[in-house]
Amino acid sequence: MGNFFGSIYCWFESFFGIELADYLWGVSSSQSNTNQFIGIGLWMLGISLFTVILYYYIINHPRLCSWWGWGIFLLLNAVINFFVGWQWVLADSYEGKMVTFDPSTNLEVPLNISSSEMLCFGVSNMILSILAFSLFTLCLKWWSKNCSSAPF
């Protein structure tokens, strides 16, 4: 599962940086050697699925049966997933987990990951959540009573 999510997120590796990607794979940090793409990817899919179900089956209001009603929920999903992705890596940075062991000095040194790369990872998570939301829409919209024709 980690390889699946890691390969999808690494479509954007040049956008958010190779060093951050290596950290999330669990290969460059002395603090954590687990693949973090699993957790981030499952949260992204869960939030996207919940937002689709919320739109098509829980709220399911005829006034929202249009492209703009669907777009509101798409935007809501994207914004939430942006903050989840960004805060996931930012929290690790604040907790001091983004370090590696330098054998020449026998000290832990911080990885060269900037705050802009963390923001770019949040944007990458947002883009993937838009894709997931669209795929869940195509799969789940057909049984909605009021919104099955939205967005198209």
Side-chain angles (χ1 to χ4, degrees), residues 103-147:
S104 64
T105 60
N106 289 332
L107 297 173
E108 287 185 335
V109 293
L111 294 171
N112 189 23
I113 300 171
S114 68
S115 59
S116 64
E117 291 172 329
M118 294 179 209
L119 279 170
C120 289
F121 182 75
V123 171
S124 301
N125 196 45
M126 178 182 74
I127 293 168
L128 288 173
S129 74
I130 290 170
L131 178 65
F133 185 88
S134 300
L135 290 174
F136 284 138
T137 292
L138 293 174
C139 295
L140 299 174
K141 76 180 205 156
W142 306 108
W143 300 280
S144 175
K145 291 184 181 189
N146 294 317
C147 296

Side-chain angles (χ1 to χ4, degrees), residues 6 19 22 27-28 30 34 39-40 46 52 56-57 62 71 73 76 82 88 95 98 109 111 122 132 142:
E19 195 152 357
D22 287 344
V27 291
S28 67
S30 60
T34 60
I40 297 167
V52 167
Y56 284 106
Y57 297 105
F73 282 83
L76 175 70
F82 166 76
W88 189 289
E95 292 172 7
M98 292 184 176
V109 293
L111 294 171
W142 306 108

Side-chain angles (χ1 to χ4, degrees), residues 5-62:
F5 285 120
S7 64
I8 291 173
Y9 277 95
C10 283
W11 293 343
F12 302 98
E13 187 176 80
S14 61
F15 183 58
F16 62 80
I18 293 173
E19 195 152 357
L20 180 56
D22 287 344
Y23 170 75
L24 292 171
W25 275 112
V27 291
S28 67
S29 175
S30 60
Q31 294 285 324
S32 173
N33 60 358
T34 60
N35 185 340
Q36 295 187 37
F37 286 118
I38 298 169
I40 297 167
L42 288 175
W43 271 101
M44 183 267 302
L45 285 179
I47 292 168
S48 297
L49 179 62
F50 175 76
T51 310
V52 167
I53 290 172
L54 180 69
Y55 174 70
Y56 284 106
Y57 297 105
I58 297 173
I59 294 180
N60 196 20
H61 198 277

